Amino acid sequence: MIVAIDGPAASGKGTLARRLAAHFNFAYLDTGLLYRAVGQAVLDAGGDPANADDAEAAARAMNPEALDDDRLRSDAAGNAASQVAAIEGVRDALLDFQRVFARLHPHERDGAVLDGRDIGTVVCPDAHVKLFVTADVEERARRRAAEFAARGAAVEFDQVLTDLKVRDARDAARAQAPLKPAADAHLLDTTDLDIEAAFEQARDIVDAAW
Ligand code: C5P
């Protein structure tokens, strides 16, 4: 069983994916972390995340075992991620790892859930269940600002809102694997749902596909 979850930044897809993975005993891959790791590596090397040579070199050198870095959660890493993610060679370099994870996840697991922007459209177009998770941009900015505050990072709400809008626009407008729902995705708007209610809806969709 492969579950593909896509949606814009701070829509709640990561929380949902983790909850589904725990409930159904699935392996979980946050594919945004791969792009964040590439973006952060370019920044660390003093490069330009919008430069194809810099970004592709970092993507080819990326170690998917080394994603446990708090800096990858920062706004700077998220913005760099969305710049490198628009480059075709970067997406190509990360594709195999994601597909192999989806099919050959640890054998003691009953399936895999991947979240990102193009899981249902490009990475796993034959996923058994596809969810496209959205929420109003102001609500997403409130959630993201609260996450930053909980980690002790001082970030202005207006800045978070502006960054989310820039990132969504870039992700949706790019030529390579743009952010959009797969034709057969279930749409889940979490604007007025708490985590539990969103999880129950997603769980019911997976249960029905089992
Ligand atoms: O989900 P997250 O906010 O961590 O993703 C960071 C950035 O990585 C996104 O804004 C997007 O540009 C890119 N991304 C992508 N494809 C994915 C996952 C993330 O292009 N499957």
Side-chain angles (χ1 to χ4, degrees), residues 6 9 13 30-33 35-36 78 81-83 85 91 98 115-119 144 167 171 174:
D6 293 303
K13 61 189 189 309
D30 170 0
T31 66
L33 270 184
Y35 292 91
R36 285 169 179 266
S82 104
Q83 289 178 274
R91 307 201 70 85
Q98 298 173 79
D115 79 34
R117 302 293 185 290
D118 63 337
I119 309 302
R144 187 49 58 91
R167 204 129 73 77
D171 290 348
R174 70 187 177 212

Side-chain angles (χ1 to χ4, degrees), residues 22-143:
H23 181 81
F24 289 103
N25 188 37
F26 291 162
Y28 168 50
L29 180 65
D30 170 0
T31 66
L33 270 184
L34 304 174
Y35 292 91
R36 285 169 179 266
V38 174
Q40 185 66 48
V42 174
L43 296 179
D44 287 347
D48 173 4
N51 178 284
D53 291 337
D54 291 355
E56 286 172 24
R60 282 192 296 270
M62 217 268 305
N63 175 8
E65 308 296 320
L67 299 174
D68 196 15
D69 179 346
D70 268 352
R71 293 181 312 156
L72 301 186
R73 308 269 171 207
S74 72
D75 223 21
N79 284 326
S82 104
Q83 289 178 274
V84 301
I87 297 166
E88 187 174 13
V90 170
R91 307 201 70 85
D92 285 349
L94 301 181
L95 193 55
D96 274 357
F97 175 76
Q98 298 173 79
R99 286 194 173 147
V100 168
F101 183 94
R103 285 193 308 114
L104 302 178
H105 46 78
H107 67 271
E108 71 273 15
R109 301 287 182 167
D110 298 325
V113 49
L114 287 78
D115 79 34
R117 302 293 185 290
D118 63 337
I119 309 302
T121 52
V122 175
V123 178
C124 301
D126 50 3
H128 305 88
V129 177
K130 299 179 185 178
L131 297 174
F132 193 84
V133 184
T134 57
D136 180 80
V137 69
E138 301 256 339
E139 173 59 21
R140 291 190 284 118
R142 272 190 290 278
R143 294 177 189 168

Side-chain angles (χ1 to χ4, degrees), residues 10-12 15-16 132-136 139-140 143 187-203 205:
S11 56
T15 306
L16 262 186
F132 193 84
V133 184
T134 57
D136 180 80
E139 173 59 21
R140 291 190 284 118
R143 294 177 189 168
L187 300 184
L188 186 54
D189 185 332
T190 68
T191 307
D192 298 316
L193 297 180
D194 63 17
I195 290 168
E196 198 54 36
F199 164 68
E200 285 171 10
Q201 291 198 13
R203 181 201 60 202
I205 292 168

